[in-house]
Amino acid sequence: MKTTLNNKYDIEQMRISGKITASVLEMIKPYVVPDISTDEINKICHNYIVNVKKAIPACLGYNNFPKSICISVNDVVCHGIPNKYELLKNNDILNIDVSIIKNGYYTDASKMFLVGKVNKKKFFLCKKTRKSLYLSLQCIRPGIKINNIGKIIQEYIQKKKLYIVREYCGHGIGRKFHEFPHILHYYEAHDTLTMQPGMIFTIEPMVNTASPYVKCMDDGWTVKTREGGYSAQYEHTILVTNNGCEVITHQKGEKIPKIFINI
């Protein structure tokens, strides 16, 4: 399959889209409190994307997905459907996954939110999952095999005695929601594709506490941990530059730079 190499115009449009995606995750933080429903969070995000940012929520209607964002709580790994009967409570952890379209360009990002005071196990899981993504950004530069991303994530997560979900991966993104290449979060020796300037893709490790195994629920979307352990995920849309990478969906307060110089 052919990898898309974005030109200057494409990249500028992706920056515009990425800034909106990041702003949704920044905007929603004060609303993530006990007793709010996940459906209410979805409504707030939908209104902000559509009416404030004049953009399109990419998830809504995608393969018949019924909501504008994904919200995955505690043992939900990904693709959780917001629900008016699902109320957040103290000690919950949740992933909010936001994908938007602006001027025909898609960007995608997600992060974990902690409700009230969470226990040490959940806090550790979220912290180490985010760290695994951040560490992988240090290897991104032209001429490096793309499987180094998964190698770094896998080695770090295994050292922390946590588990990488293998069924889902990052992906190219731009004029389409999902493009080539696939970005694995574990090491695959046969994945010999090398990074080139202009590539844009997501990195989005999903990490479990009990085992790497997952199950899809009857709604056809919600994916849960098989053993009932907790799960966390962080995601950014990344541009490969001439000497490193740019975090297209960089958010305020992140303890990483927006631009990485890796040469």
Side-chain angles (χ1 to χ4, degrees):
M1 298 179 70
K2 188 176 180 180
T3 301
T4 299
L5 298 179
N6 295 276
N7 61 33
K8 287 184 179 180
Y9 177 81
D10 296 326
I11 291 168
E12 284 305 315
Q13 293 302 312
M14 290 293 285
R15 286 172 175 149
I16 293 168
S17 178
K19 189 172 183 180
I20 295 172
T21 294
S23 74
V24 179
L25 292 168
E26 294 164 355
M27 174 277 302
I28 199 61
K29 183 177 179 180
Y31 298 95
V32 182
V33 294
D35 298 324
I36 193 171
S37 73
T38 53
D39 189 57
E40 184 62 24
I41 293 173
N42 174 78
K43 289 178 180 177
I44 295 167
C45 289
H46 177 89
N47 178 68
Y48 181 81
I49 294 166
V50 173
N51 296 318
V52 178
K53 293 299 183 178
K54 310 300 180 184
I56 300 169
C59 289
L60 184 60
Y62 179 77
N63 289 339
N64 296 317
F65 189 80
K67 300 292 181 176
S68 295
I69 60 172
C70 300
I71 303 180
S72 303
V73 183
N74 292 330
D75 65 334
V76 179
V77 178
C78 61
H79 305 157
I81 301 173
N83 185 327
K84 66 181 180 180
Y85 300 111
E86 182 177 41
L87 303 181
L88 298 183
K89 58 186 183 299
N90 188 62
N91 194 39
D92 279 344
I93 59 172
L94 62 149
N95 177 272
I96 298 180
D97 191 347
V98 176
S99 307
I100 72 104
I101 313 166
K102 183 68 174 181
N103 300 328
Y105 288 82
Y106 292 76
T107 51
D108 196 359
S110 79
K111 63 178 289 186
M112 298 301 294
F113 293 82
L114 313 182
V115 183
K117 186 176 181 180
V118 303
N119 65 40
K120 290 182 180 179
K121 190 172 188 178
K122 289 180 174 179
F123 183 82
F124 180 84
L125 170 67
C126 294
K127 184 178 180 180
K128 300 310 175 184
T129 303
R130 181 177 61 187
K131 181 70 171 180
S132 74
L133 168 57
Y134 286 177
L135 286 173
S136 74
L137 301 178
Q138 298 175 17
C139 83
I140 299 177
R141 65 181 188 270
I144 298 297
K145 289 182 182 179
I146 213 158
N147 62 9
N148 279 282
I149 295 171
K151 183 179 181 181
I152 289 170
I153 292 171
Q154 181 180 20
E155 288 179 351
Y156 180 77
I157 291 301
Q158 286 180 340
K159 286 179 182 177
K160 302 304 176 183
K161 295 182 168 43
L162 298 168
Y163 303 90
I164 296 284
V165 174
R166 295 191 171 215
E167 283 84 351
Y168 302 93
C169 62
H171 52 88
I173 189 168
R175 288 184 177 270
K176 296 180 181 178
F177 201 165
H178 297 92
E179 301 179 346
F180 189 75
H182 303 303
I183 309 297
L184 304 182
H185 304 117
Y186 57 91
Y187 181 66
E188 175 54 72
H190 300 295
D191 189 2
T192 58
L193 181 71
T194 59
M195 300 182 221
Q196 301 177 61
M199 281 185 174
I200 298 180
F201 49 74
T202 70
I203 305 174
E204 46 185 296
M206 303 174 195
V207 179
N208 296 349
T209 57
S211 84
Y213 306 116
V214 300
K215 59 184 178 182
C216 188
M217 308 309 289
D218 290 342
D219 61 23
W221 281 105
T222 306
V223 177
K224 290 190 173 187
T225 60
R226 189 182 298 178
E227 280 75 26
Y230 304 123
S231 188
Q233 179 190 19
Y234 283 83
E235 175 183 16
H236 270 307
T237 297
I238 306 298
L239 163 69
V240 181
T241 64
N242 289 326
N243 54 14
C245 68
E246 177 180 336
V247 184
I248 296 286
T249 48
H250 190 274
Q251 294 141 46
K252 295 175 184 176
E254 288 199 81
K255 295 180 180 179
I256 55 168
K258 182 178 176 67
I259 306 292
F260 281 75
I261 306 299
N262 294 329
I263 293 177

PDB file of all heavy atoms in Angstrom, residues 25-39:
ATOM      1  N   LEU A  25     -10.272  18.418  23.888  1.00  0.00           N
ATOM      2  CA  LEU A  25      -9.796  17.728  25.088  1.00  0.00           C
ATOM      3  C   LEU A  25      -9.431  18.711  26.199  1.00  0.00           C
ATOM      4  O   LEU A  25      -9.576  18.398  27.388  1.00  0.00           O
ATOM      5  CB  LEU A  25      -8.596  16.844  24.732  1.00  0.00           C
ATOM      6  CG  LEU A  25      -8.931  15.644  23.846  1.00  0.00           C
ATOM      7  CD1 LEU A  25      -7.655  14.997  23.307  1.00  0.00           C
ATOM      8  CD2 LEU A  25      -9.771  14.620  24.599  1.00  0.00           C
ATOM      9  N   GLU A  26      -8.982  19.904  25.840  1.00  0.00           N
ATOM     10  CA  GLU A  26      -8.706  20.942  26.841  1.00  0.00           C
ATOM     11  C   GLU A  26     -10.015  21.486  27.420  1.00  0.00           C
ATOM     12  O   GLU A  26     -10.149  21.669  28.635  1.00  0.00           O
ATOM     13  CB  GLU A  26      -7.908  22.073  26.198  1.00  0.00           C
ATOM     14  CG  GLU A  26      -6.511  21.681  25.746  1.00  0.00           C
ATOM     15  CD  GLU A  26      -5.892  22.681  24.777  1.00  0.00           C
ATOM     16  OE1 GLU A  26      -6.582  23.646  24.367  1.00  0.00           O
ATOM     17  OE2 GLU A  26      -4.717  22.476  24.427  1.00  0.00           O
ATOM     18  N   MET A  27     -10.983  21.739  26.548  1.00  0.00           N
ATOM     19  CA  MET A  27     -12.254  22.336  26.949  1.00  0.00           C
ATOM     20  C   MET A  27     -13.039  21.447  27.909  1.00  0.00           C
ATOM     21  O   MET A  27     -13.662  21.913  28.870  1.00  0.00           O
ATOM     22  CB  MET A  27     -13.086  22.617  25.688  1.00  0.00           C
ATOM     23  CG  MET A  27     -14.502  23.117  25.916  1.00  0.00           C
ATOM     24  SD  MET A  27     -15.755  21.812  26.260  1.00  0.00           S
ATOM     25  CE  MET A  27     -15.637  20.781  24.800  1.00  0.00           C
ATOM     26  N   ILE A  28     -13.011  20.135  27.680  1.00  0.00           N
ATOM     27  CA  ILE A  28     -13.922  19.237  28.393  1.00  0.00           C
ATOM     28  C   ILE A  28     -13.458  18.907  29.811  1.00  0.00           C
ATOM     29  O   ILE A  28     -14.256  18.446  30.642  1.00  0.00           O
ATOM     30  CB  ILE A  28     -14.140  17.924  27.581  1.00  0.00           C
ATOM     31  CG1 ILE A  28     -15.414  17.202  28.037  1.00  0.00           C
ATOM     32  CG2 ILE A  28     -12.922  17.016  27.660  1.00  0.00           C
ATOM     33  CD1 ILE A  28     -16.695  17.991  27.869  1.00  0.00           C
ATOM     34  N   LYS A  29     -12.206  19.172  30.129  1.00  0.00           N
ATOM     35  CA  LYS A  29     -11.661  18.747  31.425  1.00  0.00           C
ATOM     36  C   LYS A  29     -12.500  19.191  32.632  1.00  0.00           C
ATOM     37  O   LYS A  29     -12.774  18.366  33.529  1.00  0.00           O
ATOM     38  CB  LYS A  29     -10.218  19.241  31.577  1.00  0.00           C
ATOM     39  CG  LYS A  29      -9.562  18.767  32.866  1.00  0.00           C
ATOM     40  CD  LYS A  29      -8.113  19.216  32.958  1.00  0.00           C
ATOM     41  CE  LYS A  29      -7.486  18.738  34.274  1.00  0.00           C
ATOM     42  NZ  LYS A  29      -6.060  19.162  34.395  1.00  0.00           N
ATOM     43  N   PRO A  30     -12.955  20.451  32.733  1.00  0.00           N
ATOM     44  CA  PRO A  30     -13.723  20.861  33.925  1.00  0.00           C
ATOM     45  C   PRO A  30     -15.060  20.133  34.087  1.00  0.00           C
ATOM     46  O   PRO A  30     -15.632  20.137  35.185  1.00  0.00           O
ATOM     47  CB  PRO A  30     -13.952  22.366  33.701  1.00  0.00           C
ATOM     48  CG  PRO A  30     -12.944  22.773  32.699  1.00  0.00           C
ATOM     49  CD  PRO A  30     -12.720  21.591  31.825  1.00  0.00           C
ATOM     50  N   TYR A  31     -15.546  19.527  33.019  1.00  0.00           N
ATOM     51  CA  TYR A  31     -16.845  18.846  33.064  1.00  0.00           C
ATOM     52  C   TYR A  31     -16.742  17.391  33.518  1.00  0.00           C
ATOM     53  O   TYR A  31     -17.766  16.748  33.774  1.00  0.00           O
ATOM     54  CB  TYR A  31     -17.512  18.897  31.685  1.00  0.00           C
ATOM     55  CG  TYR A  31     -17.805  20.287  31.198  1.00  0.00           C
ATOM     56  CD1 TYR A  31     -16.915  20.959  30.369  1.00  0.00           C
ATOM     57  CD2 TYR A  31     -18.971  20.950  31.578  1.00  0.00           C
ATOM     58  CE1 TYR A  31     -17.174  22.243  29.918  1.00  0.00           C
ATOM     59  CE2 TYR A  31     -19.243  22.242  31.136  1.00  0.00           C
ATOM     60  CZ  TYR A  31     -18.335  22.880  30.310  1.00  0.00           C
ATOM     61  OH  TYR A  31     -18.599  24.155  29.872  1.00  0.00           O
ATOM     62  N   VAL A  32     -15.526  16.866  33.585  1.00  0.00           N
ATOM     63  CA  VAL A  32     -15.342  15.455  33.945  1.00  0.00           C
ATOM     64  C   VAL A  32     -15.322  15.348  35.463  1.00  0.00           C
ATOM     65  O   VAL A  32     -14.271  15.403  36.115  1.00  0.00           O
ATOM     66  CB  VAL A  32     -14.057  14.890  33.316  1.00  0.00           C
ATOM     67  CG1 VAL A  32     -13.895  13.415  33.664  1.00  0.00           C
ATOM     68  CG2 VAL A  32     -14.092  15.061  31.795  1.00  0.00           C
ATOM     69  N   VAL A  33     -16.520  15.211  36.022  1.00  0.00           N
ATOM     70  CA  VAL A  33     -16.716  15.206  37.475  1.00  0.00           C
ATOM     71  C   VAL A  33     -17.735  14.127  37.837  1.00  0.00           C
ATOM     72  O   VAL A  33     -18.472  13.644  36.969  1.00  0.00           O
ATOM     73  CB  VAL A  33     -17.218  16.583  37.961  1.00  0.00           C
ATOM     74  CG1 VAL A  33     -16.157  17.657  37.748  1.00  0.00           C
ATOM     75  CG2 VAL A  33     -18.526  16.965  37.264  1.00  0.00           C
ATOM     76  N   PRO A  34     -17.791  13.737  39.110  1.00  0.00           N
ATOM     77  CA  PRO A  34     -18.789  12.741  39.511  1.00  0.00           C
ATOM     78  C   PRO A  34     -20.209  13.176  39.171  1.00  0.00           C
ATOM     79  O   PRO A  34     -20.559  14.352  39.215  1.00  0.00           O
ATOM     80  CB  PRO A  34     -18.587  12.645  41.029  1.00  0.00           C
ATOM     81  CG  PRO A  34     -17.164  13.036  41.249  1.00  0.00           C
ATOM     82  CD  PRO A  34     -16.896  14.104  40.224  1.00  0.00           C
ATOM     83  N   ASP A  35     -21.010  12.183  38.793  1.00  0.00           N
ATOM     84  CA  ASP A  35     -22.454  12.299  38.531  1.00  0.00           C
ATOM     85  C   ASP A  35     -22.821  12.873  37.173  1.00  0.00           C
ATOM     86  O   ASP A  35     -24.008  12.922  36.825  1.00  0.00           O
ATOM     87  CB  ASP A  35     -23.164  13.112  39.630  1.00  0.00           C
ATOM     88  CG  ASP A  35     -23.053  12.441  40.991  1.00  0.00           C
ATOM     89  OD1 ASP A  35     -23.097  11.202  41.040  1.00  0.00           O
ATOM     90  OD2 ASP A  35     -22.892  13.155  41.999  1.00  0.00           O
ATOM     91  N   ILE A  36     -21.856  13.289  36.361  1.00  0.00           N
ATOM     92  CA  ILE A  36     -22.192  13.665  34.985  1.00  0.00           C
ATOM     93  C   ILE A  36     -22.276  12.382  34.157  1.00  0.00           C
ATOM     94  O   ILE A  36     -21.529  11.425  34.398  1.00  0.00           O
ATOM     95  CB  ILE A  36     -21.171  14.648  34.377  1.00  0.00           C
ATOM     96  CG1 ILE A  36     -21.719  15.252  33.072  1.00  0.00           C
ATOM     97  CG2 ILE A  36     -19.819  13.977  34.147  1.00  0.00           C
ATOM     98  CD1 ILE A  36     -20.867  16.386  32.513  1.00  0.00           C
ATOM     99  N   SER A  37     -23.178  12.339  33.211  1.00  0.00           N
ATOM    100  CA  SER A  37     -23.286  11.154  32.346  1.00  0.00           C
ATOM    101  C   SER A  37     -22.308  11.271  31.185  1.00  0.00           C
ATOM    102  O   SER A  37     -21.948  12.380  30.764  1.00  0.00           O
ATOM    103  CB  SER A  37     -24.707  10.994  31.810  1.00  0.00           C
ATOM    104  OG  SER A  37     -24.994  11.971  30.824  1.00  0.00           O
ATOM    105  N   THR A  38     -21.900  10.135  30.677  1.00  0.00           N
ATOM    106  CA  THR A  38     -21.011  10.159  29.510  1.00  0.00           C
ATOM    107  C   THR A  38     -21.732  10.742  28.298  1.00  0.00           C
ATOM    108  O   THR A  38     -21.103  11.345  27.426  1.00  0.00           O
ATOM    109  CB  THR A  38     -20.459   8.761  29.197  1.00  0.00           C
ATOM    110  OG1 THR A  38     -21.540   7.826  29.070  1.00  0.00           O
ATOM    111  CG2 THR A  38     -19.522   8.296  30.303  1.00  0.00           C
ATOM    112  N   ASP A  39     -23.048  10.598  28.248  1.00  0.00           N
ATOM    113  CA  ASP A  39     -23.803  11.198  27.142  1.00  0.00           C
ATOM    114  C   ASP A  39     -23.788  12.722  27.229  1.00  0.00           C
ATOM    115  O   ASP A  39     -23.713  13.411  26.197  1.00  0.00           O
ATOM    116  CB  ASP A  39     -25.238  10.689  27.142  1.00  0.00           C
ATOM    117  CG  ASP A  39     -25.993  11.121  25.900  1.00  0.00           C
ATOM    118  OD1 ASP A  39     -25.525  10.817  24.781  1.00  0.00           O
ATOM    119  OD2 ASP A  39     -27.046  11.780  26.027  1.00  0.00           O
TER     120      ASP A  39
END
